[in-house]
Amino acid sequence: MRIHLRGFEMNYEDTGGTGVPLLLIHGFPFDHTMWAPQLRALAPAVRVIAPDLRGLGESTLPEGGASLDDYADDLRALLDALGVERATVGGLSMGGYITFAFYRKYASRVRGLVLADTRPQPDSPEAKKGRAENIALVQQKGGGALAEKMLPKMLTPKTLASRPEVTEAAMTMMARQPAEGIIAALAAMRDRPDSTPTLVQIKVPTLVAAGAEDTLTPPEDARALQSAIRGAQLMLIPEAAHMSTFERPEVFNRALADFLRGMS
Ligand code: MLT
């Protein structure tokens, strides 16, 4: 589905249905199709709304690029347009950074949180340097080169060696992202604020999930995130790396369905 909001065209999926919707925010450099296993498993019992962030997937990039607050404002505008007052908001990695920004700005719109393979801290000086290198790589060689560089961190070595359909789906999704949207997202992540002070403000049920073999946001980070948010639950997903929700959807979906049931 497509909608014009805040100066650009947003592509999104909305499965429809009753009850509190689940808004799922994709990671980087992905698009909403990374949530295909959740859309399949949860709908139509749960209304799932999964947008492509500005500049990524099939959403266009407006002038001025993107900041994390822009992404959060876009999502609020989407919920407004769909007449959704409150949603459970979930994000993976960059989607988690955006979830923190959304909660900071629009806590009253949030019924619960799902934080997958993400962290509240801002980029370190070294990570900021890495963003600059990746921006240069995409400018010179395109998004495919960045996809090749990132793939080994997204899935476990075992999946990369033995599940070609998952590996190819992840690679294809990353490689097709438009260069200007990738660059905008890299700059937005580089410039993101520290969300650590937000954690004590979280007063809604929260599920923290992470791949047990995630090296980008390792399980220690997930444990620290869980203990910083009052009452948060933790799910470590075995045999999964950074794209845990995509690599082991059957395990993640069970935890997610239990979490959503527990809230209703
Ligand atoms: C993601 O999966 O969204 C990215 O790895 C996040 C990041 O680069 O910080």
Side-chain angles (χ1 to χ4, degrees):
M1 286 175 234
R2 290 187 81 71
I3 190 167
H4 185 86
L5 43 84
R6 305 191 74 241
F8 74 103
E9 296 288 319
M10 179 181 264
N11 182 56
Y12 68 100
E13 192 138 348
D14 179 359
T15 62
T18 53
V20 178
L22 175 65
L23 173 68
L24 290 177
I25 312 171
H26 64 78
F28 171 88
F30 307 120
D31 57 36
H32 84 277
T33 62
M34 66 158 277
W35 300 115
Q38 286 70 44
L39 285 154
R40 265 198 305 272
L42 296 174
V46 179
R47 179 179 182 186
V48 186
I49 300 167
D52 287 339
L53 296 167
R54 57 166 69 194
L56 296 166
E58 290 176 29
S59 292
T60 59
L61 183 69
E63 293 232 349
S67 67
L68 285 199
D69 278 352
D70 283 329
Y71 292 132
D73 292 346
D74 297 345
L75 297 172
R76 200 231 47 225
L78 177 65
L79 294 186
D80 287 350
L82 298 178
V84 172
E85 184 48 42
R86 282 184 104 196
T88 300
V89 181
L92 179 131
S93 200
M94 180 175 83
Y97 309 158
I98 297 167
T99 302
F100 294 130
F102 189 92
Y103 192 84
R104 242 185 328 271
K105 298 191 86 170
Y106 309 116
S108 68
R109 309 290 295 266
V110 180
R111 172 70 182 86
L113 291 174
V114 181
L115 300 165
D117 301 272
T118 194
R119 65 161 70 82
Q121 295 83 9
D123 273 4
S124 63
E126 200 193 339
K128 283 186 201 282
K129 243 178 72 200
R131 301 291 186 199
E133 284 163 17
N134 285 342
I135 288 173
L137 178 68
V138 176
Q139 280 165 340
Q140 284 154 25
K141 301 199 169 144
L146 182 64
E148 262 170 46
K149 180 177 168 187
M150 292 185 73
L151 183 66
K153 303 253 183 214
M154 293 297 167
L155 302 168
T156 59
K158 191 171 161 196
T159 293
L160 290 167
S162 64
R163 296 173 69 199
E165 68 299 343
V166 176
T167 304
E168 255 176 63
M171 183 62 193
T172 307
M173 196 193 317
M174 291 196 285
R176 71 166 173 245
Q177 301 309 319
E180 68 276 12
I182 296 179
I183 291 167
L186 284 165
M189 290 192 285
R190 176 197 62 204
D191 298 339
R192 75 185 187 278
D194 186 2
S195 289
T196 311
T198 307
L199 304 183
V200 291
Q201 293 164 16
I202 295 177
K203 297 196 172 58
V204 293
T206 300
L207 173 65
V208 175
E213 296 180 45
D214 186 351
T215 53
L216 293 177
T217 43
E220 306 87 83
D221 287 11
R223 283 195 196 94
L225 186 55
Q226 179 209 13
S227 54
I229 301 174
R230 203 174 40 178
Q233 301 172 31
L234 175 66
M235 173 73 204
L236 288 181
I237 303 168
E239 297 190 83
H242 193 58
M243 270 185 104
S244 62
T245 60
F246 191 77
E247 187 169 14
R248 293 285 164 205
E250 64 291 351
V251 181
F252 173 71
N253 290 351
R254 248 191 329 269
L256 180 59
D258 285 350
F259 174 70
L260 296 175
R261 243 191 321 274
M263 276 195 317
S264 61

